[in-house]
Amino acid sequence: MTIYEVARRAGVSIATVSRAMRDSDLVTAETRARVRAAAQELDFTPSRLGRSLAEGQHAANGIVFPDLVGPYYAEVVLGYEEVAAELGRSVLILATHGRRDAAAQVLDLANRVDGMVIMGRTVGDDVVERIAATGPPLVLLARDPVSTVDTIRTDNERSARELAEHLLAHGHRRFAFLGDPDDSPDVAGRYAGFAAGLRAAGVPVPAPVRCAFNLDAGREAASGLLRRRTRPQAVVCANDEVALGVHTAATEAGLSIPDDLAITGWDDVMAAGFAGLTTVRQPMRELGATAARWLHDRITEPSRDRTPVRRQVLPTQLTVRRSCGPHTGR
Amino acid sequence: MTIYEVARRAGVSIATVSRAMRDSDLVTAETRARVRAAAQELDFTPSRLGRSLAEGQHAANGIVFPDLVGPYYAEVVLGYEEVAAELGRSVLILATHGRRDAAAQVLDLANRVDGMVIMGRTVGDDVVERIAATGPPLVLLARDPVSTVDTIRTDNERSARELAEHLLAHGHRRFAFLGDPDDSPDVAGRYAGFAAGLRAAGVPVPAPVRCAFNLDAGREAASGLLRRRTRPQAVVCANDEVALGVHTAATEAGLSIPDDLAITGWDDVMAAGFAGLTTVRQPMRELGATAARWLHDRITEPSRDRTPVRRQVLPTQLTVRRSCGPHTGR
DNA sequence: CTGAAAGCGCTAACAG
DNA sequence: CTGTTAGCGCTTTCAG
């Protein structure tokens, strides 16, 4: 079912069918009606491929992330998809799963979309720069800026520092940090802010205890930590899953939280509420939604690169619960 | 940067470039090398659009779901994407968000992919049938079969019945069911199995208390329920979010769980473990992964529809924790 | 307002 | 093995 058959049936040229299908005002209402009727009868839908090739537009956006485990990426993707859909664009997803050969897949994706966002440490800067140079518009999300690419992130340093100060106010002095700063720019920022907070108070900054982003990794790392001769008083974790792993390990070790051990996480996942975990909330959907809007601007702007580079850091919110230490008063 | 410029630079025809780029064995190793070198220098990547139009293949799959709230859909999508990527296919996502006009978007998606999965109650059977008739291969996921479309689901009836029996064994006799059977085929199945379990024991089957799939809805519905003169002894919820909402409401009302009120959920989300919630676990990734494999089979099979209709129901697992009632022994 | 015709970038017969 | 030449399905000048 192609435009030709509709044209024949309606007794017009394919150009007219094309116009009628897109409500161009270069056709009489009457002609349009006749064409649409024919299209209806033949159950014709213009081929996206044909149209895209001719227009040089995919009407699609891409997004690259490590995976969808935990609510963080899922929420970002959701915010992105929602706005993209409103703007009439489909969304292509690509999970790198930490694969080595992710670059090739990302490059392939760049070839299928009019714009794309690249999250965190999914691929190297070389790939980003290559796409920035010859590919579609890009937005970097939760990742350090590269050359002149638009970048959107949430604040990590400041909240982490605030968190450190809060813990210090509880009287804690021996700390541990769980998470791998080399794993993602977010973790690096959180560790940096945490370290800055301790340093300002003259408290020794521990080296990070590197572990993956999941409950089991946190649990395992913690069980080692808790066996040390001098146990930390407070464990700051790179995210909630890790923190909940520590929570589990501590409980198993017969420790009571927060009296024997204070714990904090990041993200405020649903389980954090039920575990009474102090954490930091960040505007995940807004992150994705903003990226989608920025991309749309770049894609539709008349002269590429007219808009200056955009950089934004969204604020986060410290959410204090009982896991960080006893709170007196209300 | 097109195939023509590479051809000129390498001193060959575009056909040869095409062959060299795809490692056809219809080119000398030497020619291939020369072409690839030229391509490299010019930073040429074959256009996906051009290729797709010529091949009549998108090398992409689609997936339609209501949203990504909660781990369920995210996990299914992840399993789907992972397998699709391994099979060399990109993935297009479409979240319907319960919109009325989802049909048009789904139809549009069908025009961009070689195969797609449609989950739950995102669009009506008419849309499914229309795509089945003229569109790419389809797999229905967590949804009742439609005509001869492949369908994969997890078991709901049986597990729900098992769950009812377990609760009956605890001595509970006054039940409530939270969730809307009209909302999704899954909920319908769960309610049906639950009802069957009670009926078999001669226990009155309550009408479902309809509520949305989230914590607040569960909490609100429960607070009404708990104010009735005869409070139920056990509340069976359509999923964990709802159950955790009930949990919250009950705790707020000063009830102790499970002594004053037993609660069960579905999905085994992370918070369920921390809340001690009895629930039912289902193989979410496997659901998506299987759908991706089935689609690939259909897409690549020589004569369309040679494979008979596939229907599969994956088993689930009752996960008993403390929220359903006191367990003696180990 | 409508039609003819030239692409968009690539693949795949079909000849050599 | 390599080149020529049709398309794939649609949009868009350019004439009329």
Side-chain angles (χ1 to χ4, degrees), chain A residues 164 167-178 194 198 201-207 209 225-226 228-236 255 258-264 324:
Chain A
L167 290 167
L168 286 164
H170 271 297
H172 304 307
R173 288 298 175 271
R174 288 195 315 280
F175 292 88
F177 181 93
L178 257 65
F194 162 73
L198 297 197
V203 168
V205 177
V209 177
L225 203 62
L226 300 179
R228 292 187 188 170
R229 39 192 190 285
T230 55
R231 200 200 315 132
Q233 298 168 306
V235 183
V236 172
L255 299 179
D259 301 327
D260 301 326
L261 188 73
I263 304 174
T264 68
C324 55

Side-chain angles (χ1 to χ4, degrees), chain B residues 74-278:
Chain B
E75 287 284 321
V76 173
V77 170
L78 202 56
Y80 184 68
E81 194 273 349
E82 187 157 15
V83 172
E86 277 166 17
L87 297 171
R89 316 190 150 274
S90 291
V91 172
L92 283 142
I93 61 170
L94 173 59
T96 56
H97 301 287
R99 284 200 212 94
R100 269 286 144 73
D101 62 333
Q105 291 180 283
V106 172
L107 257 10
D108 175 72
L109 182 63
N111 205 348
R112 303 173 159 270
V113 299
D114 303 318
M116 64 193 280
V117 357
I118 297 183
M119 292 185 75
R121 219 150 271 185
T122 45
V123 286
D125 286 355
D126 52 330
V127 177
V128 172
E129 258 156 2
R130 180 150 167 215
I131 297 176
T134 59
L138 233 43
V139 168
L140 263 25
L141 200 157
R143 168 178 187 133
D144 292 326
V146 174
S147 66
T148 62
V149 181
D150 293 343
T151 305
I152 183 159
R153 297 176 282 178
T154 52
D155 163 65
N156 286 304
E157 277 83 349
R158 177 198 288 260
S159 322
R161 181 165 181 158
E162 199 182 328
L163 182 61
E165 284 159 2
H166 183 88
L167 290 167
L168 286 164
H170 271 297
H172 304 306
R173 287 299 174 272
R174 288 195 315 279
F175 294 88
F177 181 93
L178 257 65
D180 191 346
D182 292 338
D183 212 50
S184 87
D186 278 330
V187 178
R190 290 166 201 173
Y191 181 67
F194 162 74
L198 297 197
R199 211 172 292 124
V203 168
V205 177
V209 176
R210 297 172 195 275
C211 75
F213 251 23
N214 61 66
L215 201 139
D216 285 336
R219 179 173 170 181
E220 199 147 332
S223 68
L225 203 62
L226 301 179
R227 266 197 296 276
R228 292 187 189 171
R229 40 192 189 285
T230 56
R231 202 198 317 131
Q233 298 168 307
V235 183
V236 172
C237 302
N239 80 354
D240 283 350
E241 273 85 347
V242 173
L244 292 168
V246 175
H247 192 290
T248 304
T251 306
E252 286 168 353
L255 298 179
S256 114
I257 294 162
D259 300 328
D260 299 328
L261 188 73
I263 304 174
T264 68
W266 208 283
D267 284 352
D268 196 19
V269 305
M270 192 171 55
F274 285 88
L277 185 67
T278 291

Side-chain angles (χ1 to χ4, degrees), chain B residues 280-301:
Chain B
V280 178
R281 204 178 303 160
Q282 47 181 334
M284 303 178 280
R285 287 201 194 197
E286 190 52 30
L287 224 40
T290 303
R293 279 188 216 100
W294 284 6
L295 278 178
H296 192 256
D297 293 346
R298 286 263 181 244
I299 294 166
T300 56
E301 85 188 334

Side-chain angles (χ1 to χ4, degrees), chain B residues 37-49:
Chain B
Q40 190 104 58
E41 289 160 27
L42 270 48
D43 194 34
F44 166 78
T45 314
S47 148
R48 194 57 265 174
L49 282 178

